[in-house]
Amino acid sequence: MNKREWEQIKFNFAIEYNRTGVSVLSWCKENQLNYDTARRHLKIKNAKLLNFTPSELKKRKRRRGPPLGSQNALKHGGYSNIFCNITNQKVVAITEEDELCLSRIRIHKAMQAINKLQEKLQTNIRVETCIKLMNALFLVEQSIDRCIGKIELIKRTSSKTRIEKQRNYDLNHNSQLQQT
């Protein structure tokens, strides 16, 4: 059965449930539906809410996933184009120079974090703490690698564009010399 058919079946079940309080199993037997398939689609909590048409039901469905603006899945933010400048104001990196500046700032902060982690490693002797600090050190080194890769990419693309501009200039200049 397709989605539209299941929407209609859900609606029919909701009407019957609200009228008689029938269970999903008995309703499936009455309507000759496979219970194992239907139980995925027919929920009593949804039937209680269904005093609406199937099109109104679609409008009432809750949004799946985390709340808007949630950053639970954010791992490191290493590819973000927003950073804080010297005066702690948020700045959006628009140009290549901004991106380079952002990457260099991140490398600088990561190097400071490495120094702090190494100091903590020298003072703590508990094994669990050392493992946590080594994991943190590994993650910081990964962020440095990402930033270096980003800097290399930006430099490579900017040098390619400069070379292309120079070639175009040379071609235009040579063609103008040949015409005169």
Side-chain angles (χ1 to χ4, degrees):
M1 289 188 202
N2 62 25
K3 265 187 171 178
R4 283 190 181 154
E5 291 172 345
W6 276 113
E7 290 295 324
Q8 188 63 45
I9 291 171
K10 286 180 192 179
F11 182 69
N12 293 339
F13 171 72
I15 291 172
E16 188 69 23
Y17 176 80
N18 288 326
R19 194 168 55 82
T20 62
V22 67
S23 70
V24 176
L25 179 62
S26 60
W27 192 81
C28 287
K29 286 181 182 177
E30 288 174 17
N31 293 290
Q32 299 174 348
L33 288 172
N34 183 353
Y35 172 71
D36 292 326
T37 305
R39 69 181 181 163
R40 286 185 281 161
H41 298 280
L42 304 177
K43 304 291 183 196
I44 290 177
K45 67 178 183 177
N46 294 339
K48 289 177 183 176
L49 298 174
L50 287 182
N51 292 326
F52 307 102
T53 64
S55 62
E56 290 173 334
L57 168 66
K58 287 182 183 178
K59 293 177 186 174
R60 287 188 52 100
K61 283 188 179 177
R62 266 187 61 206
R63 180 187 167 279
R64 292 183 68 184
L68 292 175
S70 171
Q71 299 206 345
N72 294 343
L74 182 68
K75 289 190 177 189
H76 49 70
Y79 300 109
S80 171
N81 65 344
I82 296 175
F83 64 101
C84 295
N85 62 7
I86 297 170
T87 59
N88 282 335
Q89 294 175 333
K90 288 190 176 181
V91 178
V92 178
I94 298 172
T95 64
E96 289 178 352
E97 290 301 318
D98 293 341
E99 289 283 337
L100 285 171
C101 181
L102 171 62
S103 297
R104 289 175 179 144
I105 289 171
R106 285 190 177 138
I107 289 174
H108 181 71
K109 287 182 179 180
M111 294 301 291
Q112 290 174 341
I114 285 176
N115 289 337
K116 289 178 185 176
L117 289 171
Q118 287 175 341
E119 289 173 8
K120 287 181 182 179
L121 270 172
Q122 292 172 356
T123 59
N124 287 322
I125 29 180
R126 290 185 48 209
V127 175
E128 298 88 18
T129 308
C130 286
I131 290 172
K132 287 180 182 178
L133 290 174
M134 291 301 287
N135 285 336
L137 202 62
F138 177 71
L139 292 174
V140 171
E141 288 175 356
Q142 280 184 327
S143 77
I144 290 175
D145 290 341
R146 277 192 305 273
C147 289
I148 290 172
K150 195 170 188 177
I151 289 172
E152 289 173 347
L153 177 68
I154 292 168
K155 286 292 193 177
R156 192 176 324 122
T157 54
S158 66
S159 66
K160 282 182 182 177
T161 55
R162 265 185 300 185
I163 290 171
E164 286 297 318
K165 284 181 183 177
Q166 186 63 40
R167 282 184 187 157
N168 291 337
Y169 174 78
D170 291 344
L171 288 173
N172 289 337
H173 187 70
N174 288 340
S175 65
Q176 287 175 357
L177 288 177
Q178 289 175 358
Q179 289 175 356
T180 56

